[in-house]
């Protein structure tokens, strides 16, 4: 008899987005003529920047002849991309990161799930609420929690992010080892300010904790005083691992390319207390479990660091940010409190009622798909997340339909 991993039985429900997909399917079976507008899924809709398309074509041409052909690439990623990242994403911002501290991967979701394999199962883990559900679920699967009651797993330290604290996670009173931070946050859209991030870094240094910093949406930050990377904060190299993705920032959700930064100063401990380099552990894992990311994807990502690529990717984000502003303003006019949408493609709305009930209302009466906030944590029970990853026309029409329903 093959026994399944017992921790999977603790998982609350299906993955949030599978539940949404099922409700949409049921709706479409009932009302096949309604044209749905999707403001739910965090998937982009705009085409890739032209600079990336050109790089993809050039990579195909290279591989089509014997001289240009490449087989397995370096597990950690090609030097041409890692060098560009170190220079343009970090060093220009005063963040001291070297190319060999960067690991290219197929996606941040995969890396966030895999990174916790480096750590012992009895670590104390702190996770904001609400946040990207993958942090919680992967720790449940790894056996770092007890069962869930009332939407929360025992054994996890939840960091509530509500209107009362400006949706900024507060440093917990009880000691923790692993701290997840997401800035700009999915789903609230709130970006941590420099002094807030500094407080977390100082806390991690004082308590030998490690921060897992998810910056998948950093390219949406438009206020120059806000940090894009945790390594802009003094002392972070020793206590933080950072995740970056090209998915939302350059339309790579289908291409698949991302990276994780594990600085060489980041030290964890073996069971006997001897120091271990997190960088060396992650490199070892990569060598064993990865053969790298496709050459095409890495060439396309490299193109994002040319002046043309940077301009085009920024313009893409600007379009989504304009939609986010439209949504935020529209909902404020409807009298519902919102946050996000300024440095983020997400708007987080307090509906004043149960999130799934509001989801069903928008779906059934307006043909609009949103994301119920309860899927991101208990603090999201009355909220929905709207995503700006649609066309300006669809966003405007969605608002009109919603206004009619809520009027
Ligand atoms: N991190 C956050 C906060 C996200 O919201 C998402 C996707 O929605 C990801 C990571 C996944 O990124 P990737 O497409 O690189 O796997």
């Amino acid at each position: 008899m093959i026994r399944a991993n017992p921790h999977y039985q603790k998982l609350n429900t299906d993955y949030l987005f599978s539940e949404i997909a099922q409700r949409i399917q049921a709706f479409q079976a009932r009302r096949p003529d309604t044209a749905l507008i999707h403001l739910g899924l965090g998937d982009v809709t705009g085409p890739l920047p032209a600079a990336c398309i050109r790089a993809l074509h050039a990579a195909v041409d290279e591989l089509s002849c014997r001289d240009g052909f490449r087989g397995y690439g370096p597990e950690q990623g090609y030097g041409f991309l890692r060098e560009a990242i170190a220079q343009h994403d970090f060093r220009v911002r005063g963040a001291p990161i070297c190319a060999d501290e960067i690991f290219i991967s197929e996606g941040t979701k995969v890396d966030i799930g895999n990174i916790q394999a480096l750590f012992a199962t009895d670590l104390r883990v702190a996770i904001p609420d609400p946040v990207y559900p993958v942090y919680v679920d992967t720790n449940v699967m790894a056996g770092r929690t007890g069962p869930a009651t009332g939407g929360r797993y025992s054994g996890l330290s939840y960091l509530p992010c509500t209107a009362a604290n400006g949706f900024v996670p507060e440093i917990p009173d009880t000691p923790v080892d692993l701290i997840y931070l997401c800035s700009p946050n999915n789903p609230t859209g709130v970006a941590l300010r420099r002094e807030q991030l500094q407080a977390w870094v100082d806390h991690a240094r004082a308590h030998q904790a490690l921060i897992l910093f998810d910056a998948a949406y950093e390219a949406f930050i438009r206020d120059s005083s806000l940090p894009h990377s945790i390594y802009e904060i003094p002392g972070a190299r020793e206590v933080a691992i950072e995740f970056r993705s090209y998915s939302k920032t350059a339309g790579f959700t289908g291409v698949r390319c991302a990276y994780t930064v594990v600085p060489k100063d980041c030290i964890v401990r073996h069971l006997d207390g001897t120091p271990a380099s997190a960088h060396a552990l992650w490199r070892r894992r990569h060598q064993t479990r990865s053969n790298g990311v496709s050459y095409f994807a890495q060439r396309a990502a490299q193109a994002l660091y040319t002046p043309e690529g940077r301009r085009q990717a920024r313009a893409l984000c600007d379009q989504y940010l304009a939609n986010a502003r439209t949504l935020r303003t529209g909902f404020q006019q409807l009298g519902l409190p919102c946050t996000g949408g300024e440095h983020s493609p997400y708007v987080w709305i307090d509906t004043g009622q149960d999130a799934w009930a509001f989801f069903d209302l928008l779906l059934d009466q307006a043909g609009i798909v949103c994301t119920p906030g309860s899927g991101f944590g208990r603090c999201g029970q009355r909220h929905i997340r709207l995503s700006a990853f649609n066309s300006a026309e669809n966003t405007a029409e969605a608002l009109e339909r919603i206004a009619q329903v809520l009027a």
Side-chain angles (χ1 to χ4, degrees), residues 32-364:
D33 297 333
T34 304
L36 286 177
I37 299 181
H38 289 266
L39 301 180
L41 273 179
D43 198 359
V44 293
T45 53
L48 288 173
C52 300
I53 299 292
R54 244 199 325 281
L56 284 166
H57 281 298
V60 171
D61 288 343
E62 271 186 86
L63 298 196
S64 65
C65 60
R66 190 166 279 278
D67 284 348
F69 177 77
R70 296 174 191 234
Y72 288 127
E75 293 113 5
Q76 213 179 311
Y78 282 100
F80 60 73
L81 178 56
R82 290 191 286 124
E83 288 292 347
I85 291 169
Q87 176 58 23
H88 297 288
D89 284 348
F90 296 100
R91 287 202 287 266
V92 293
R93 294 191 176 280
I97 292 298
C98 300
D100 67 352
E101 295 175 313
I102 292 160
F103 295 78
I104 309 299
S105 80
E106 76 202 66
T108 290
K109 188 187 210 177
V110 175
D111 281 355
I112 285 171
N114 287 336
I115 197 87
Q116 42 90 17
L118 301 191
F119 311 118
T121 42
D122 58 356
L123 291 188
R124 298 158 301 183
V125 182
I127 301 184
D129 175 0
V131 86
Y132 186 47
V134 170
Y135 311 157
V136 170
D137 285 1
T138 51
N139 277 287
V140 175
M141 290 172 180
R144 278 196 196 90
T145 75
T149 37
R152 287 202 162 164
Y153 293 94
S154 60
L156 283 185
S157 291
Y158 289 91
L159 308 172
C161 301
T162 62
N165 60 16
F167 300 96
V168 173
E170 289 170 52
I171 291 171
D173 302 331
T174 47
V176 289
D177 303 304
L178 272 186
I179 299 158
Y180 286 81
L181 293 177
C182 181
S183 179
N185 177 280
N186 173 14
T188 67
V190 169
L192 295 178
R193 292 199 309 271
R194 202 168 284 277
E195 68 276 13
Q196 292 164 337
L197 213 41
Q198 184 73 65
W200 276 106
V201 168
D202 293 346
H203 175 79
R205 290 170 67 87
H207 295 86
Q208 297 195 335
L210 182 69
I211 298 172
L212 301 177
F213 187 72
D214 186 346
Y217 295 94
E218 60 74 35
F220 292 90
I221 292 175
R222 288 293 176 271
D223 176 342
S224 58
S225 72
L226 294 173
H228 288 238
S229 164
I230 196 164
Y231 305 116
E232 291 174 51
I233 306 300
R237 277 184 56 87
E238 285 131 64
V239 291
I241 289 175
E242 180 164 314
F243 304 91
R244 293 276 189 108
S245 171
Y246 300 105
S247 283
K248 311 301 165 72
T249 58
F252 273 47
T253 51
V255 174
R256 308 305 299 145
C257 196
Y259 65 88
T260 292
V261 185
V262 190
K264 292 191 171 160
D265 303 351
C266 221
I267 300 298
V268 294
R269 301 263 156 200
H270 287 302
L271 261 187
D272 61 6
T274 54
S277 151
H279 177 94
L281 295 179
W282 188 239
R283 197 180 59 230
R284 184 71 179 79
R285 188 191 179 283
H286 256 252
Q287 285 164 346
T288 302
R289 302 185 72 139
S290 171
N291 268 327
V293 177
S294 86
Y295 179 64
F296 312 104
Q298 294 190 62
R299 280 293 186 202
Q302 181 195 20
L304 291 167
Y305 295 98
T306 61
E308 181 201 11
R310 292 166 81 79
R311 232 182 4 258
Q312 291 164 353
R314 190 174 170 96
L316 206 53
C317 291
D318 280 342
Q319 284 173 22
Y320 297 134
L321 283 170
N323 292 343
R325 261 195 309 278
T326 304
L327 290 171
R328 186 181 161 124
T329 314
F331 270 84
Q332 278 167 342
Q333 283 165 358
L334 289 168
L336 296 184
C338 321
T339 185
E342 282 175 305
H343 307 293
S344 153
Y346 299 126
V347 181
W348 184 239
I349 298 157
D350 185 349
T351 67
Q353 57 177 285
D354 173 72
W356 278 109
F358 198 82
F359 171 92
D360 287 335
L361 175 80
L362 291 194
L363 181 62
D364 289 337

